[in-house]
Amino acid sequence: MNYAVAIDTLKQADPILAEVIEQVGECRLNQVQQTGDLLSSLCRSIIYQQLSGKAATAIHQRFLQLYTVLTPSDILNTPDDVLREVGISRPKISYLKDLAERFDKLPTIDDLLLMDDENIIKTLTEVKGIGRWTVQMLLMFRLHRWDVLPVDDLGIRNAIHRLYSLPELPNKLTVEQLGENWKPYRTIACWYLWSSLSITKSEKL
């Protein structure tokens, strides 16, 4: 994946982000892109909600080990206690089962590829427990959309707070306004913001 044009555009548009790009180095967004059908992708997104990456990965792996092939009927037929045993909370169990019940009426990945971002968000947020952030993660990491800005993401807000020396965590409007500088490559900008969180204060430029 060639991010050269996106990176040059971002560096010219935002001097602070340019410093982050120089320090983080090569964009490796393509290395964390996902594959699989919509059911697998949305189940993963639900499980990852409000958890650290390490904890979410462990729970997700235990969840997948319950099934030979993940299907809506398999999820519906799995007792709640079994899902609890692999670490899934009761609210998330209800989200996964609502997704399974509705799944046959949802678009396929191929259908989603032909839709614009806002229509995808509107369609998928009808499922219980799937909010705007969850669909934005799907847009970024499964549908490979390059201009997504999850304004409610705590990691993005923390990175902006730190890098731009703001007195407090930025609100949605502040993130949106700053993100105007990053169009049409806001997904790539977000990847660098997330990556900047692993840079210690002593290493900060």
Side-chain angles (χ1 to χ4, degrees):
M1 188 71 69
N2 189 345
Y3 298 109
V5 172
I7 289 171
D8 286 345
T9 301
L10 292 171
K11 287 168 107 176
Q12 292 176 26
D14 186 332
I16 292 176
L17 189 60
E19 291 184 358
V20 174
I21 291 170
E22 286 297 320
Q23 194 166 19
V24 171
E26 177 188 3
C27 181
R28 298 181 299 279
L29 175 63
N30 62 306
Q31 296 179 21
V32 292
Q33 299 286 16
Q34 301 163 11
T35 58
D37 63 14
L38 184 61
L39 181 64
S40 299
S41 297
L42 289 178
C43 285
R44 183 185 190 280
S45 294
I46 289 171
I47 290 169
Y48 270 69
Q49 289 173 4
Q50 299 179 322
L51 290 176
S52 70
K54 185 176 181 180
T57 298
I59 294 170
H60 183 237
Q61 287 301 316
R62 292 197 294 267
F63 169 73
L64 292 178
Q65 288 169 6
L66 296 175
Y67 309 105
T68 303
V69 177
L70 185 64
T71 67
S73 60
D74 285 338
I75 294 173
L76 291 171
N77 292 328
T78 304
D80 289 5
D81 288 348
V82 173
L83 294 172
R84 286 289 296 129
E85 286 172 2
V86 301
I88 301 173
S89 68
R90 294 197 184 280
K92 289 183 180 179
I93 290 171
S94 71
Y95 302 161
L96 291 170
K97 294 205 168 182
D98 187 67
L99 169 63
E101 287 177 352
R102 295 171 178 261
F103 190 74
D104 287 344
K105 297 180 181 178
L106 295 180
T108 65
I109 287 288
D110 287 341
D111 294 331
L112 294 177
L113 290 172
L114 302 176
M115 297 167 62
D116 65 49
D117 292 357
E118 287 303 319
N119 277 331
I120 293 173
I121 291 170
K122 182 178 179 181
T123 299
L124 297 183
T125 51
E126 292 179 1
V127 178
K128 182 179 178 181
I130 294 182
R132 187 176 184 88
W133 177 89
T134 301
V135 183
Q136 287 175 321
M137 295 303 104
L138 179 80
L139 290 169
M140 298 171 86
F141 295 107
R142 179 60 184 89
L143 300 180
H144 309 165
R145 301 288 170 94
W146 279 28
D147 194 33
V148 180
L149 178 62
V151 296
D152 297 315
D153 186 90
L154 186 58
I156 296 298
R157 294 171 66 207
N158 278 328
I160 291 172
H161 178 216
R162 176 187 177 193
L163 294 168
Y164 294 81
S165 302
L166 301 181
E168 57 187 10
L169 280 177
N171 58 25
K172 175 179 176 179
L173 180 60
T174 300
V175 177
E176 285 179 342
Q177 289 173 338
L178 189 58
E180 287 293 314
N181 299 320
W182 308 330
K183 289 182 175 180
Y185 302 115
R186 291 179 293 178
T187 297
I188 289 82
C190 288
W191 183 87
Y192 275 103
L193 292 174
W194 281 317
S195 298
S196 76
L197 294 171
S198 64
I199 299 172
T200 67
K201 291 183 178 179
S202 62
E203 292 173 323
K204 183 180 175 184
L205 291 173

